Amino acid sequence: MSDQPMRLDHLLKVVGAAETGGQAKMLVQSGVVEVNGEVETRRRRQLRVGDVVRYGDDCWEITPD
């Protein structure tokens, strides 16, 4: 990931947790996605290096390129 922030809904699509933007939106808004240990319901949340996203048994840490 570059120094530019990535949106939470975009990350969910990139990693394959959601097939579409609409599905990513529903996942986030339903309260099943956590960022840094807290439920996140804003699909446009800007992720930065060091953030940890968890959905179900999957977990992704945002790292620099």
Side-chain angles (χ1 to χ4, degrees):
M1 181 178 170
S2 68
D3 290 336
Q4 296 298 318
M6 175 184 277
R7 289 191 345 226
L8 178 57
D9 59 347
H10 182 71
L11 173 78
L12 293 172
K13 289 190 310 185
V14 168
V15 299
E19 292 182 19
T20 66
Q23 186 181 26
K25 174 183 174 181
M26 295 303 292
L27 289 176
V28 174
Q29 290 181 339
S30 67
V32 297
V33 178
E34 294 181 1
V35 176
N36 299 329
E38 296 184 13
V39 172
E40 181 57 70
T41 57
R42 296 172 294 162
R43 69 183 174 116
R44 294 185 180 266
R45 160 78 184 260
Q46 298 292 309
L47 301 172
R48 303 223 180 251
V49 172
D51 284 342
V52 176
V53 177
R54 180 178 301 276
Y55 167 62
D57 292 334
D58 296 317
C59 185
W60 306 275
E61 181 173 356
I62 307 303
T63 59
D65 283 340

